[in-house]
């Protein structure tokens, strides 16, 4: 885990700049600022597996900016990059475009994840994902707090809907160590 603020030029992340392997059961709570791109609350770029992790700090950068991960990269389909059972709660600001509350630019797979807070920018701004050529399943964002009704992936829910477990029936909420049972921002 990491709790300090980060300000760096490129590949800025609250925990790590990028990952080519597996990151699991991790979190970052500091604010993250990047001046070039690939900026995320937990990591700037994910080219691997990210599971059971979260970020709560605010994230600011020019492009490929996400509350959790800035860029989920698959190297032209040669890498299986995934995010699962994870969330972001900080505010996200993109100064030039491609930003999402959870992921700025997604080429991989996102599942069973959510985001709450606000997201803003100038182009390709999504409630959960800014731009996606990948897949997003069973993942949600708060349309009330984000001010965004559209996303390149995921399902938008209002604040009251985000607090109803019945909206998350596809998640395994009976098994310990799932996102619904290990904490979060009160969304489930």
């Amino acid at each position: 885990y990491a709790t300090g603020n980060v300000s760096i030029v490129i590949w800025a992340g609250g925990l790590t700049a990028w990952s080519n392997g597996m990151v699991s059961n991790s979190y970052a709570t500091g604010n993250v600022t990047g001046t070039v791109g690939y900026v995320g609350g937990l990591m700037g770029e994910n080219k691997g597996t990210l599971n059971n992790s979260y970020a709560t700090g605010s994230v600011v950068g020019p492009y490929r900016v996400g509350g959790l991960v800035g860029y989920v990269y698959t190297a032209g389909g040669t890498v299986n990059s995934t995010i699962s059972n994870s969330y972001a709660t900080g505010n996200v600001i993109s100064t030039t475009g491609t930003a999402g509350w959870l992921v700025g630019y997604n080429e991989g797979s996102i599942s069973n994840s959510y985001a709450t807070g606000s997201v803003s920018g100038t182009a390709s701004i999504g409630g959960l994902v800014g731009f996606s050529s990948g897949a997003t399943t069973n993942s949600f964002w708060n349309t009330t707090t984000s001010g965004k009704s559209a996303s390149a992936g995921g399902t938008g829910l209002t604040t009251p809907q985000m607090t109803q477990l019945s909206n998350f029936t596809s998640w395994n909420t009976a098994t310990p160590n799932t996102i619904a049972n290990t904490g979060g921002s009160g969304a489930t």
Side-chain angles (χ1 to χ4, degrees), residues 107-167:
E107 293 179 356
S109 170
I110 300 169
S111 64
N112 299 348
S113 297
Y114 72 91
T116 62
S118 70
V119 60
S120 62
T122 57
S124 297
I125 309 302
L128 190 73
V129 180
F131 175 85
S132 181
S133 60
T136 304
T137 57
N138 303 323
S139 297
F140 307 90
W141 82 94
N142 188 317
T143 58
T144 307
T145 59
S146 71
K148 299 294 176 194
S149 60
S151 177
T155 301
L157 300 174
T158 64
T159 298
Q161 290 171 324
M162 290 289 288
T163 63
Q164 297 171 2
L165 190 58
S166 62
N167 289 317

Side-chain angles (χ1 to χ4, degrees), residues 58-149:
S58 294
V59 183
V60 179
Y63 63 92
R64 295 185 181 178
V65 182
L68 188 70
V69 177
Y71 183 28
V72 179
Y73 180 58
T74 62
T78 61
V79 176
N80 184 20
S81 300
T82 64
I83 295 175
S84 62
N85 304 322
S86 297
Y87 67 91
T89 62
N91 297 327
V92 177
I93 299 171
S94 169
T95 56
T96 62
T98 318
W101 214 348
L102 189 75
V103 174
Y105 193 108
N106 175 45
E107 293 179 356
S109 170
I110 300 169
S111 64
N112 299 348
S113 297
Y114 72 91
T116 62
S118 70
V119 60
S120 62
T122 57
S124 297
I125 309 302
L128 190 73
V129 180
F131 175 85
S132 181
S133 60
T136 304
T137 57
N138 303 323
S139 297
F140 307 90
W141 82 94
N142 188 317
T143 58
T144 307
T145 59
S146 71
K148 299 294 176 194
S149 60

